Structure formats: C-alpha cells, structure tokens
Amino acid sequence: MDQLLQWLLLPCILITLVLSVVFSLKSRRGTDAKLRGMNAAKMNISMGVMLMFIALVQLFLSNESTVRIVIGSLFLVLGVFNLFAGLRNLSVYRTMKG
C-alpha cells in the first residue's frame, strides 16, 4: 500500500511543482495586470495542492513521529490556505473588466 501511495503522490508533487514554476514565471513576466493576477492565483492554487500532497507524504508514508506529524499538519494547513486564497483571487480576477 505504501508503494502504491508513493507512486501516486510523487508524480502529483512533481506535476504541481512544474505548474507552480510555470505560472510564477508567467505572472512575473506578464504585461497585462489581469493576466498577471490570474497567473499568480493559479500559482497559489498549484502551490497549495503541492503542499497538501507533501503533507500526505509526511502523514502517511513515514514512521509516526511527532515531528513528522507536526510538519505534515503545518504543510496541510498552509496548502489549504494557499488553495483557498488562490481560488478567491482567481474568481476576483475573472470577474474584473479590462
């Protein structure tokens, strides 16, 4: 079971890492403010999902030490916050005119 989770979570982490980098570069190099904001929101969403996958690795695929549980929980909270902040910002930028 651990091997299956490992083979599922590792590609998910790598995909969201690449998406975070791509959206970050697009956000920093863009000229249109709305498009830059949308790319920054997508970067936050990707980063939030990536942090949640990392938290799952820490919580389920390692021995149950207190430090790993605390770090996994912290990553999970940060990931959920980034996800919701990105979704909120994306909805704001989609409704903007311009």
Side-chain angles (χ1 to χ4, degrees):
M1 185 65 175
D2 285 347
Q3 289 289 343
L4 178 65
L5 278 175
Q6 191 173 12
W7 282 102
L8 289 176
L9 291 176
L10 183 64
C12 292
I13 291 171
L14 293 176
I15 289 169
T16 54
L17 173 67
V18 169
L19 287 174
S20 295
V21 169
V22 167
F23 288 131
S24 176
L25 290 174
K26 284 184 177 183
S27 170
R28 295 174 196 277
R29 293 184 179 172
T31 56
D32 182 32
K34 180 180 175 183
L35 193 58
R36 285 178 53 199
M38 288 180 71
N39 283 325
K42 290 176 185 177
M43 177 195 65
N44 275 349
I45 293 169
S46 299
M47 195 175 302
V49 173
M50 179 183 63
L51 284 169
M52 288 191 297
F53 283 135
I54 292 172
L56 290 176
V57 167
Q58 290 295 315
L59 292 173
F60 294 125
L61 293 182
S62 59
N63 55 0
E64 295 184 15
S65 73
T66 306
V67 175
R68 286 191 186 265
I69 291 173
V70 169
I71 290 173
S73 301
L74 182 65
F75 278 12
L76 188 62
V77 169
L78 284 171
V80 169
F81 177 76
N82 261 3
L83 178 66
F84 283 124
L87 289 171
R88 185 194 66 218
N89 290 342
L90 187 62
S91 69
V92 167
Y93 279 111
R94 281 189 177 165
T95 57
M96 280 178 58
K97 293 183 180 177

